[in-house]
Amino acid sequence: MHGDVSVDIRLLSENTINQIAAGEVIERPASAVKELVENAIDAGAKNIDIVIIEGGRKLISVSDDGCGMTAKELTLAVERHATSKLAEDDLTNIVTMGFRGEALPSIASVSHFSFKSRATGSDEAWKIEITGGKKSAVEPTALDRGSHVEVRDLFFSTPARLKFLKTDRTEFSQSLDVIKRLSMANP
């Protein structure tokens, strides 16, 4: 109690926490593109197809021919702070582009998110969908190889974030710049 003012401290909901965290990781469509393309590169992809519609607000789609994931790995990949890129919690030996395990859950908490994957050598492909942080069960799907991620309606659940985005052309240009830098570093 501060004078006549009472303080009502409460814990934020998990969904609110995720949306706040998403704003720290995913500032604009180019941030999502960067994270998804880096994941494809870390998965050993030789080919990465990227589709961006309306500057990334409407759709960001990234497909790759990397190593893919099993159903169990796919379920874990969308959990906060779950990663395959940090062996034995050793922060001194990082050899991948990402390692914190925040990108996918952050993107998924502020979009309509669909992730399909098929592990190399597997006869099965799996899909998980997340809308505004709410996950579906992992289910079988059709996919030839690698992974395919679709991010639709980015920031639909955080309208304040949408207000700060520039024109579709500017947002697309930002994403294209990210793609060019990543492709030059990983020919």
Side-chain angles (χ1 to χ4, degrees):
M1 191 98 154
H2 302 288
D4 290 339
V5 178
S6 91
V7 177
D8 185 21
I9 298 175
R10 65 181 178 82
L11 293 173
L12 296 173
S13 72
E14 187 70 25
N15 190 49
T16 301
I17 291 168
N18 288 340
Q19 288 178 342
I20 291 169
E24 299 298 315
V25 177
I26 308 302
E27 298 173 341
R28 61 184 341 140
S31 306
V33 169
K34 174 186 173 289
E35 297 290 351
L36 296 174
V37 172
E38 285 179 348
N39 282 350
I41 293 167
D42 283 343
K46 300 283 186 240
N47 298 289
I48 303 170
D49 295 319
I50 305 160
V51 176
I52 298 170
I53 298 177
E54 292 181 19
R57 279 178 250 257
K58 186 80 169 162
L59 174 71
I60 299 168
S61 172
V62 177
S63 299
D64 68 63
D65 60 357
C67 63
M69 291 185 221
T70 65
K72 182 179 178 184
E73 291 166 336
L74 189 59
T75 302
L76 280 172
V78 296
E79 292 293 326
R80 287 185 69 203
H81 308 296
T83 184
S84 64
K85 301 173 184 180
L86 191 59
E88 306 298 320
D89 293 338
D90 182 5
L91 291 173
T92 63
N93 189 25
I94 297 169
V95 295
T96 57
M97 300 184 103
F99 65 91
R100 295 173 307 175
E102 291 182 296
L104 293 180
S106 292
I107 295 167
S109 72
V110 293
S111 69
H112 298 288
F113 183 86
S114 174
F115 191 169
K116 298 178 182 180
S117 196
R118 181 175 177 173
T120 301
S122 176
D123 293 333
E124 301 171 314
W126 300 94
K127 172 176 82 170
I128 190 167
E129 293 180 337
I130 304 171
T131 297
K134 297 197 185 334
K135 291 179 216 140
S136 71
V138 174
E139 57 187 41
T141 192
L143 186 67
D144 188 33
R145 67 178 186 264
S147 295
H148 175 78
V149 179
E150 281 191 2
V151 177
R152 293 187 178 277
D153 304 318
L154 187 63
F155 302 127
F156 85 95
S157 61
T158 52
R161 175 70 62 182
L162 278 173
K163 287 193 310 192
F164 293 101
L165 295 182
K166 307 295 184 207
T167 66
D168 288 351
R169 184 182 189 128
T170 299
E171 294 301 334
F172 177 79
S173 177
Q174 295 280 328
S175 293
L176 188 57
D177 185 51
V178 164
I179 293 165
K180 286 178 182 177
R181 281 187 275 120
L182 288 170
S183 61
M184 283 189 282
N186 301 279

